[in-house]
Amino acid sequence: MKYEVLSIFPDMVDSAFRTGVTGRASGEGLIELDTVNIRNYSTNSYGSIDGYTYGGGAGMLMQCEPVYQAYLEALKRLERKHGEVRVVYMTPVGEVFSQKKAEELSKEEELIFLCGHYEGIDERVIDEIVTDRISIGDYVLTGGELSALVVMDAVARLIPGVLKNDESAETESFNTGGLLEYPQYTRPPEWHEKTVPDILVSGDHAKVDKYRMREMRRVTKEYRPDLYTAYMEERGIY
Ligand code: ADE
């Protein structure tokens, strides 16, 4: 997987990506990241890439041309033509990101992320280049870099070899038929007068499986009643 990120803060994306699991995976050549600084494509002598909004309204908008030129740089590096690579625009006005979407994106060989700032980006360039508009939730961030990193991380961990223990991508929340993951414990067996549930140290694997299933239902019902209802409905339990 190769990521290209179009941003006015490329260092922010680069440094976060180089840390931890994604950093290791890029060192191993499993994923690659390149960034394009949109500011390099300012069309004026001040180096600005934003302008006032037609029709009025607070704040500034990112202009078409710097964004478009940054996109062309990314395409050139990927040796691709316009329309051959999906371009993901990070915006609160988009489809809410999900594990399903991460799975879909992980099948691509390359992805271009467009990170907006100020009050957003001129709609014309979005129309011209963007294939997917993704929001990471119903709140507004100062820019698209953090949200792009969220999507890049969720997609990266689905790429074979990125996670060392292949199983962990399988059994986690959202891959368990719509239930959240059960609580887990490690040594010591007692901490702050809290003990590990007896069943987990019993060595009875069938009992452990049943217990974990019960716990998955319990935590889902408690923290995500919406997911719990969907899970029950899917099984015809009302
Ligand atoms: N940019 C600003 N807010 C965002 C959000 N909620 N999701 C994705 N990109 C964003």
Side-chain angles (χ1 to χ4, degrees):
M1 169 67 78
K2 171 111 200 258
Y3 296 134
E4 287 277 351
V5 179
L6 320 180
S7 161
I8 59 168
F9 295 125
D11 292 349
M12 179 175 174
V13 178
D14 216 61
S15 65
F17 189 80
R18 306 266 166 242
T19 312
V21 175
T22 48
R24 187 190 63 205
S26 78
E28 291 172 357
L30 295 166
I31 42 177
E32 254 183 274
L33 168 69
D34 260 313
T35 56
V36 185
N37 191 341
I38 298 172
R39 217 175 265 294
N40 290 346
Y41 293 101
S42 167
T43 55
N44 60 53
S45 51
Y46 318 108
S48 72
I49 48 125
D50 56 334
Y52 293 106
T53 316
Y54 282 121
M60 308 285 273
L61 277 190
M62 280 165 73
Q63 295 169 303
C64 289
E65 193 57 19
V67 171
Y68 189 62
Q69 291 301 326
Y71 165 67
L72 293 183
E73 180 185 325
L75 276 188
K76 196 167 170 199
R77 197 162 31 222
L78 294 173
E79 299 179 9
R80 297 283 189 183
K81 293 197 189 70
H82 174 63
E84 290 181 351
V85 186
R86 277 167 88 166
V87 180
V88 179
Y89 174 38
M90 302 311 306
T91 168
V93 189
E95 163 190 358
V96 177
F97 189 53
S98 62
Q99 191 63 28
K100 192 160 159 264
K101 189 75 181 179
E103 276 157 24
E104 181 194 316
L105 294 176
S106 73
K107 310 245 164 20
E108 300 292 323
E109 277 175 39
E110 292 132 354
L111 289 170
I112 299 176
F113 289 89
L114 171 58
C115 305
H117 263 269
Y118 315 111
E119 288 306 302
I121 301 180
D122 188 314
E123 190 69 18
R124 292 169 294 181
V125 71
I126 299 173
D127 270 357
E128 182 106 353
I129 68 173
V130 167
T131 58
D132 301 77
R133 300 180 191 226
I134 297 183
S135 164
I136 60 160
D138 293 338
Y139 41 81
V140 183
L141 303 168
T142 56
E145 285 76 11
L146 287 172
S147 48
L149 281 161
V150 166
V151 174
M152 285 158 61
D153 189 280
V155 169
R157 64 188 288 291
L158 297 175
I159 292 162
V162 168
L163 291 186
K164 286 303 157 202
N165 175 2
D166 273 355
E167 219 214 341
S168 47
E170 288 295 303
T171 54
E172 279 164 31
S173 300
F174 299 109
N175 243 323
T176 47
L179 293 176
L180 301 179
E181 197 179 15
Y182 46 78
Q184 301 184 86
Y185 305 85
T186 185
R187 284 179 295 177
E190 189 176 334
W191 180 83
H192 283 206
E193 292 173 20
K194 291 177 167 68
T195 55
V196 174
D198 288 341
I199 292 178
L200 297 180
V201 289
S202 70
D204 185 332
H205 294 298
K207 273 192 180 162
V208 168
D209 286 350
K210 262 194 182 162
Y211 168 82
R212 286 181 167 163
M213 192 64 202
R214 268 203 313 277
E215 284 294 284
M216 281 159 64
R217 284 202 214 100
R218 180 185 65 77
V219 296
T220 309
K221 193 172 178 185
E222 181 168 350
Y223 299 112
R224 291 293 302 274
D226 56 325
L227 293 181
Y228 186 74
T229 305
Y231 171 84
M232 296 300 266
E233 279 176 11
E234 203 164 285
R235 280 155 187 77
I237 309 164
Y238 295 94

